[in-house]
Amino acid sequence: MIQMMKLTGKEELISIIKDRIKKEGAISFRDFMDMALYYPELGYYTSPKAKIGGYGDFFTASELDKAFGELLGKQFVEIYQKLDEKKFQIVEIGAGKGYLAYDILSFLKNSHKDVYSNTEYVIIEKSPYHVDLQKEILKGFDNVRWVQDIIDFEDESVTGVIFSNELFDSFPVHVIRKINGKIYEVYITLDQDDNVKEILKEPSEDIKRYLRELNIHIPEGMTTEINLDAADYIQKIGRKLKKGYVITIDYGYPSAELYKYYRMKGTLLCYYKHRYSENFYENVGLQDITSHVNFSALNYYGKIAGLELTGFTDQAHFLTNLGLMDIFAQLQEKGDYESYERLNRLKTLVLPKGMGEKFKVLVQHKNVDSPNLKGLEILPYTSERYKL
């Protein structure tokens, strides 16, 4: 973490952050990150600006090829058949530009008309900019609606699947540091020159409880993240689901791997125009700030809300189980330029040490008798790194 730094970026947002510090005193890094990402109309995610793709700051799997959405669609068809309910919902949290929803819905409409006709596709999206993009790209489908937050659903009102792709990594996090055997939380204040200055304060009881409940013991000198918002949100998801599955696709690790000594600086990174840095105080409101997901926490706190663990794997195994190699074979058989271009893009989804291994898939279920799914048929052999 940077100890002292001049804030740069959107001047209006910087002024709001500084005014809050001057009025309230030091604020937690979590609150700073929340404002930088989500302050109304000025935050990174809430402002009208391209964030994903070639003109944005990062790529997602849904940007690379339609096969990602088609394979997810296959998994949703199996869930539909397994639940055998008249009312079926697919709830996507944070749909970006809407490409993934488009690919899923196109697959269902073209290949599984019975599933499509009985499915309501609900998008949870807070960004007005992204809602406009999504409505334009999805205008050819008649079964899509939008809500602002998971709390807009009644408790136990969703039957089907609630899923997200790169959601939890963007939640604001508390930053903690261990010094002389004691845990402190990082707060930010201003020095006499109006620069950001980090100070250490006693952590909240919520942070202490999180560390205790997940049995987390971080090494001496480590600076790392605690995502209390994710722990709260997975419980909200669990309470809204009546019967079905929660599928979370994101990058991260279980607790035992996330807080290893070789991650002494934590996992926080910033992305700005496809370049990454560890300077959280520049390009405020203009750059993404992310951290790795603690999948042990999603599993633990999901159980509190009735979500049982179905399985935990990586993206490569998940997509391969669902038939990605069949798509590879079909493209190789065609042998034309477009097919080879698609093959190269698709390889990115499953490459070891790349997206295939970096991205994990956590599947949880509620009120399902035989919950096993095709996507979890063959699991990674490195079981210790996948132990929740």
Side-chain angles (χ1 to χ4, degrees):
M1 295 279 294
I2 297 168
Q3 300 300 312
M4 195 175 298
M5 177 61 64
K6 178 179 174 63
L7 286 177
T8 66
K10 292 183 180 177
E11 291 299 328
E12 186 178 355
L13 181 57
I14 291 170
S15 295
I16 292 170
I17 292 170
K18 287 183 176 181
D19 287 345
R20 178 175 172 182
I21 293 173
K22 290 171 183 176
K23 182 180 178 180
E24 300 179 11
I27 62 173
S28 66
F29 182 87
R30 183 258 169 223
D31 287 351
F32 163 76
M33 183 174 170
D34 184 52
M35 295 179 76
L37 295 180
Y38 297 106
Y39 195 88
E41 298 182 5
L42 294 173
Y44 176 77
Y45 284 113
T46 51
S47 59
K49 170 183 174 290
K51 306 161 184 68
I52 307 169
Y55 295 99
D57 302 304
F58 56 89
F59 285 102
T60 68
S62 60
E63 292 275 312
L64 292 172
D65 194 273
K66 66 178 182 178
F68 184 74
E70 291 175 351
L71 293 172
L72 271 178
K74 285 182 67 175
Q75 186 59 91
F76 298 160
V77 168
E78 182 189 9
I79 290 173
Y80 172 86
Q81 294 167 344
K82 188 179 287 285
L83 297 185
D84 193 26
E85 297 283 346
K86 290 182 179 179
K87 178 186 176 184
F88 185 77
Q89 290 174 300
I90 298 173
V91 180
E92 182 179 3
I93 309 176
K97 292 180 180 178
Y99 290 144
L100 184 54
Y102 179 88
D103 292 336
I104 292 168
L105 286 164
S106 295
F107 171 77
L108 296 179
K109 191 174 184 179
N110 295 329
S111 302
H112 296 274
K113 289 183 171 59
D114 58 329
V115 180
Y116 177 83
S117 62
N118 288 306
T119 295
E120 180 188 39
Y121 200 103
V122 187
I123 293 176
I124 297 176
E125 183 61 68
K126 291 184 176 181
S127 166
Y129 171 75
H130 279 134
V131 169
D132 289 341
L133 292 177
Q134 293 158 13
K135 286 185 175 180
E136 177 61 27
I137 198 171
L138 299 174
K139 61 186 178 183
F141 304 102
D142 58 4
N143 57 350
V144 185
R145 70 180 173 96
W146 282 259
V147 298
Q148 272 209 317
D149 201 346
I150 190 73
I151 61 173
D152 293 333
F153 291 92
E154 296 290 331
D155 284 357
E156 297 207 327
S157 65
V158 177
T159 295
V161 58
I162 302 173
F163 84 101
S164 62
N165 180 45
E166 294 191 62
L167 171 74
F168 288 101
D169 65 87
S170 63
F171 279 24
V173 294
H174 297 266
V175 174
I176 61 171
R177 189 173 297 159
K178 190 172 185 178
I179 300 176
N180 296 327
K182 183 173 171 57
I183 299 292
Y184 297 90
E185 182 175 2
V186 174
Y187 278 67
I188 66 169
T189 186
L190 301 173
D191 66 11
Q192 58 186 10
D193 297 319
D194 235 17
N195 293 321
V196 167
K197 178 182 178 182
E198 293 179 355
I199 61 173
L200 301 178
K201 299 181 72 171
E202 181 78 11
S204 68
E205 288 302 317
D206 288 338
I207 290 175
K208 293 178 182 177
R209 183 168 56 251
Y210 181 100
L211 295 171
R212 186 171 60 251
E213 289 176 342
L214 293 174
N215 196 29
I216 295 171
H217 302 280
I218 69 171
E220 176 67 29
M222 173 179 272
T223 297
T224 191
E225 310 89 33
I226 299 296
N227 197 332
L228 297 181
D229 287 53
D232 177 63
Y233 202 76
I234 194 67
Q235 292 179 72
K236 290 178 180 176
I237 291 173
R239 286 193 290 269
K240 303 308 176 185
L241 185 66
K242 179 181 181 181
K243 180 181 180 182
Y245 291 82
V246 177
I247 298 179
T248 303
I249 305 170
D250 221 318
Y251 49 88
Y253 301 99
S255 290
E257 182 65 28
L258 187 60
Y259 300 110
K260 292 281 192 182
Y261 65 91
Y262 43 76
R263 294 193 180 86
M264 293 296 286
K265 295 172 67 177
T267 67
L268 270 170
L269 281 177
C270 304
Y271 290 91
Y272 180 67
K273 296 182 178 178
H274 297 280
R275 297 192 303 270
Y276 72 86
S277 78
E278 296 178 358
N279 187 344
F280 318 109
Y281 305 121
E282 68 178 2
N283 299 316
V284 176
L286 299 172
Q287 68 178 2
D288 193 13
I289 309 174
T290 76
S291 68
H292 280 48
V293 175
N294 184 343
F295 283 99
S296 296
L298 296 185
N299 178 46
Y300 179 89
Y301 291 105
K303 285 182 178 178
I304 293 174
L307 299 178
E308 297 298 325
L309 175 64
T310 319
F312 180 56
T313 187
D314 57 39
Q315 181 171 280
H317 281 81
F318 186 72
L319 296 179
T320 300
N321 288 334
L322 290 169
L324 182 59
M325 293 304 113
D326 294 335
I327 297 176
F328 277 8
Q330 292 166 10
L331 292 173
Q332 286 174 330
E333 190 174 331
K334 284 185 177 179
D336 55 28
Y337 177 78
E338 183 182 348
S339 297
Y340 280 119
E341 283 287 297
R342 284 194 66 196
L343 269 172
N344 287 330
R345 292 198 302 270
L346 282 171
K347 287 176 183 176
T348 308
L349 297 175
V350 292
L351 283 174
K353 307 301 180 185
M355 290 182 77
E357 189 175 293
K358 177 182 177 183
F359 280 81
K360 309 299 192 303
V361 183
L362 174 67
V363 184
Q364 298 159 290
H365 65 272
K366 186 176 181 181
N367 295 325
V368 182
D369 292 333
S370 301
N372 293 341
L373 295 176
K374 181 72 173 176
L376 301 170
E377 197 168 61
I378 299 174
L379 298 176
Y381 64 88
T382 52
S383 58
E384 194 59 35
R385 297 190 72 180
Y386 292 83
K387 189 175 180 180
L388 295 174

